[in-house]
Amino acid sequence: MSIKLQNVSKSFGEVTAVTRVSFSVEEGELLALLGPSGGGKTTVLRMIAGLETPTEGDVFIRGNRVNDLSVQKRNIGFVFQNYALFKNMSVFKNIAFGLTIKKWRTSEIQTRVLELMELFGLDGLEKRYPHQLSGGQRQRVAIARALAPKPTVLLLDEPFGAVDARIRQDLREWLVRLHHDLKVTTIFVTHDQEEAMEVSNRIVIFSRGHLEQIGTPREVYEQPANEFVARFIGVMNVLELEVLRGIARFGELEFPAPEIADGLKVRIGFRPYAVQVSGDPDEFRYRATLRHTFFLGIMLRLELELPSGLTLRARMTKEEYAQRGLEDGVHVSFQIRNYKVLSGGKSQLHHESGAQTEPPPAIAEGI
Ligand code: ATP
């Protein structure tokens, strides 16, 4: 195991930034720390780097407790969002910086820097200064500089936060390839769930200093531990319904809830892809008007307005959209193929295929 945090907390005076967080990172893993701003991600990263000391708990690197070990002795490479390159140094010198400090021999520095420049697609840029580089190139130089001294762990804090969307996408793909080639244990902070899903092997989700869930992108998406995770990872339709005679109702929508007492409220969530929409207004049980279609590349997001005024979001491919004869303004019918009880009822029931704890409810089957 490469890194382990055990019941780690950090307070800054009155502010508790991190509360009893425990997780481990396997050797060679690419792990994302994901959560809204102020959740404690940077503080966790800084404690691993040795830039902050935990108020409580322990940090281990390769089995050794490092709470009292200085930054320099931890053999960690890091790239922080605001950790700019040295403006007055060439690309070569920037990448060589850590090696010069460690007093590597000139010939070894030369070999290592050129090797990294080739690997990072920076050949020919060694004499340039940071202001003569594009945003994407600058980030790659920053990561090359962090990796030059062969660290045990690479820590990246929102490394692509400052570059525009298209370059950000290129850098993500590049980071995945780089990690695949080098296999350096990497922890990556982001508040962008898509970035975390696309880049990492596992995701640790933080909110307000607490670890909400740790799992693969698929696990946190398909089996969110709680409503916070469900809403933070991807889009989810969430309804609060009142139960009457074993049925939870919201306007025209009904969900069987045989075990829940009358008058209680349940919260139900379902992903846009679980909403099946037809251009034939009689095909499915529920009716709606297709208000807006948002084009998100090959996927489309649809906003359905129900007669009660409720808006639901659905998702499908362009092909499905065309096949089903859909366009803005048409009357459609829909069904909800699967959903989760988020709170209120029997906790965390999964009415998703393969994860049922009860017979699938009629609504999820053949409406
Ligand atoms: P962001 O995505 O905005 O960087 P984050 O999830 O990384 O957020 P942190 O930067 O770790 O969150 O901050 C967690 C909490 O700790 C915040 O409330 C922040 O204001 C507080 N905090 C962080 N560093 C300090 C500090 N040096 N002194 C006081 N409070 C701090």
Side-chain angles (χ1 to χ4, degrees):
M1 190 175 306
S2 187
I3 297 171
K4 185 170 156 193
L5 272 74
Q6 205 169 330
N7 285 322
V8 169
S9 301
K10 177 70 187 176
S11 304
F12 298 100
E14 299 281 279
V15 182
T16 305
V18 173
T19 310
R20 285 194 293 285
V21 162
S22 301
F23 67 89
S24 325
V25 190
E26 298 299 326
E27 196 72 51
E29 219 182 336
L30 174 45
L31 185 96
L33 303 185
L34 172 69
S37 183
K41 309 176 296 292
T42 298
T43 306
V44 166
L45 211 65
R46 289 175 62 84
M47 288 192 282
I48 298 170
L51 296 164
E52 301 287 356
T53 313
T55 314
E56 275 178 71
D58 296 312
V59 179
F60 298 89
I61 298 179
R62 290 196 169 154
N64 300 313
R65 183 177 175 276
V66 295
N67 290 40
D68 307 313
L69 206 64
S70 68
V71 184
Q72 293 75 17
K73 292 201 173 132
R74 293 193 188 193
N75 195 26
I76 281 179
F78 43 87
V79 178
F80 290 117
Q81 196 176 349
N82 302 321
Y83 196 65
L85 296 173
F86 303 117
K87 291 192 181 67
N88 54 346
M89 283 187 198
S90 65
V91 166
F92 186 98
K93 288 205 167 149
N94 263 284
I95 299 176
F97 183 75
L99 308 179
T100 315
I101 299 274
K102 288 196 164 176
K103 300 199 169 34
W104 280 34
R105 276 202 239 121
T106 313
S107 60
E108 286 171 357
I109 295 180
Q110 179 85 11
T111 311
R112 178 71 176 147
V113 172
L114 294 180
E115 173 189 288
L116 283 166
M117 295 203 46
E118 192 187 337
L119 184 68
F120 280 43
L122 296 166
D123 325 59
L125 301 179
E126 51 269 41
K127 294 206 177 88
R128 296 248 190 120
Y129 283 83
H131 73 274
Q132 298 169 315
L133 301 174
S134 71
Q137 286 167 338
R138 250 179 259 149
Q139 289 312 102
R140 279 183 277 150
V141 173
I143 296 177
R145 183 175 65 180
L147 282 173
K150 306 193 174 170
T152 324
V153 177
L154 178 65
L155 304 177
L156 307 172
D157 191 356
E158 299 264 1
F160 313 140
V163 292
D164 73 42
R166 212 185 58 77
I167 297 172
R168 204 177 161 113
Q169 184 58 39
D170 290 347
L171 283 170
R172 285 179 194 173
E173 290 169 15
W174 168 82
L175 180 67
V176 172
R177 284 197 303 274
L178 178 80
H179 180 260
H180 184 263
D181 292 344
L182 299 183
K183 305 230 165 23
V184 177
T185 309
T186 304
I187 307 184
F188 170 72
V189 164
T190 179
H191 61 265
D192 179 336
Q193 48 100 2
E194 220 178 281
E195 188 159 280
M197 302 284 277
E198 204 177 304
V199 170
S200 61
N201 307 128
R202 284 195 305 155
I203 303 179
V204 185
I205 298 166
F206 282 97
S207 130
R208 298 195 205 156
H210 292 269
L211 191 159
E212 301 284 346
Q213 187 170 5
I214 177 162
T216 62
R218 192 171 179 160
E219 280 163 1
V220 297
Y221 186 78
E222 291 184 350
Q223 294 149 35
N226 53 42
E227 186 171 340
F228 173 82
V229 176
R231 297 186 87 149
F232 194 70
I233 297 284
V235 177
M236 185 169 254
N237 295 291
V238 177
L239 305 174
E240 190 168 282
L241 311 94
E242 194 164 314
V243 178
L244 197 61
R245 287 189 288 278
I247 296 183
R249 286 197 173 79
F250 190 105
E252 55 275 74
L253 299 178
E254 295 183 348
F255 299 81
E259 299 192 354
I260 301 169
D262 276 9
L264 287 183
K265 292 218 161 42
V266 282
R267 290 171 75 76
I268 278 177
F270 46 94
R271 299 284 186 199
Y273 71 78
V275 180
Q276 200 175 5
V277 183
S278 167
D280 172 358
D282 296 319
E283 184 172 352
F284 298 125
R285 174 177 173 184
Y286 298 120
R287 286 182 180 57
T289 305
L290 173 50
R291 275 289 164 236
H292 294 290
T293 307
F294 297 92
F295 292 83
L296 318 162
I298 59 160
M299 294 306 289
L300 306 178
R301 192 166 81 223
L302 282 60
E303 267 184 22
L304 305 183
E305 190 180 310
L306 276 59
S308 61
L310 177 72
T311 299
L312 293 182
R313 285 160 298 181
R315 190 178 167 94
M316 65 179 66
T317 61
K318 271 188 191 156
E319 287 73 38
E320 288 171 311
Y321 188 84
Q323 277 162 13
R324 293 175 195 178
L326 297 170
E327 59 179 331
D328 283 358
V330 299
H331 293 291
V332 300
S333 62
F334 71 94
Q335 66 174 349
I336 299 162
R337 281 185 294 203
N338 47 47
Y339 61 90
K340 292 181 202 310
V341 177
L342 298 169
S343 64
K346 222 175 159 189
S347 65
Q348 311 300 322
L349 288 185
H350 291 274
H351 291 287
E352 300 244 32
S353 51
Q356 287 118 0
T357 50
E358 308 200 327
I363 194 167
E365 291 279 284
I367 308 166

